[in-house]
Amino acid sequence: MNKKKRTEIISFFIVLLACVLLYIFFMQRNRYTLTFPKGDDLENISLEMGSVTKEIIDEKTMKEFVLELSGDGRMTKQESVNDSPGVKRYTKVELNFKEKGSSVVYFYEEKGKYYLEQPYNGVYEISQDEYKGLEKYLNE
């Protein structure tokens, strides 16, 4: 086997190995889904930002709020690895179930972008309009 043929074979296997590694890196990443309970399953929704707290108990309003949360959340490259976001100012949303337990999600603004974060599930970028739509419930 001549030197040129050997170089071509080695190059082919290097490219093949690179393709396999790229596939493993990009395709085997965890994919998170933003999930929320139905409004019918909730007893109440607690909103808290600093010392300001608000509780939503009206069923219609709870359904509207969950619909706002569900919106068009998009995945970012950031993973949620803490119980709360690593920013100074955020709003904590606690969805309390009729049966037992609760689910927590946070929304906040950071460097001109807006996010929803479910602890250990993922960080999702949202639009400014979606953020303002969620924030209005805290100020009502």
Side-chain angles (χ1 to χ4, degrees):
M1 189 177 340
N2 64 27
K3 189 173 181 179
K4 184 179 178 184
K5 188 76 164 170
R6 189 174 337 138
T7 304
E8 288 175 356
I9 291 172
I10 291 172
S11 297
F12 172 76
F13 281 110
I14 290 173
V15 169
L16 182 64
L17 178 63
C19 289
V20 168
L21 291 175
L22 286 172
Y23 173 79
I24 290 170
F25 179 75
F26 287 110
M27 300 310 278
Q28 300 300 319
R29 296 182 105 181
N30 289 337
R31 297 187 190 271
Y32 300 105
T33 307
L34 190 58
T35 56
F36 296 105
K38 296 176 185 171
D40 299 336
D41 298 337
L42 295 173
E43 184 164 325
N44 63 52
I45 298 174
S46 299
L47 302 171
E48 180 182 326
M49 183 172 74
S51 62
V52 179
T53 59
K54 170 81 185 230
E55 185 174 68
I56 302 171
I57 55 174
D58 177 57
E59 218 171 290
K60 182 181 178 207
T61 308
M62 285 192 294
K63 286 179 184 180
E64 290 171 359
F65 186 83
V66 170
L67 192 61
E68 284 273 352
L69 276 179
S70 300
D72 293 326
R74 296 174 294 281
M75 190 67 181
T76 66
K77 293 179 182 176
Q78 301 173 16
E79 292 184 58
S80 177
V81 293
N82 295 312
D83 290 332
S84 62
V87 295
K88 290 181 182 178
R89 187 172 178 256
Y90 57 81
T91 302
K92 178 182 179 182
V93 178
E94 192 167 356
L95 305 159
N96 299 303
F97 304 116
K98 285 180 181 174
E99 295 296 318
K100 188 177 182 184
S102 64
S103 178
V104 175
V105 67
Y106 299 90
F107 64 92
Y108 56 92
E109 185 250 331
E110 182 180 38
K111 297 178 184 172
K113 294 189 177 186
Y114 303 90
Y115 300 96
L116 280 178
E117 182 171 340
Q118 258 186 338
Y120 306 102
N121 183 10
V123 179
Y124 303 83
E125 189 173 340
I126 60 175
S127 70
Q128 183 179 15
D129 290 339
E130 290 172 310
Y131 178 83
K132 299 274 185 212
L134 293 170
E135 195 174 49
K136 76 176 181 187
Y137 290 95
L138 188 62
N139 299 323
E140 286 183 343

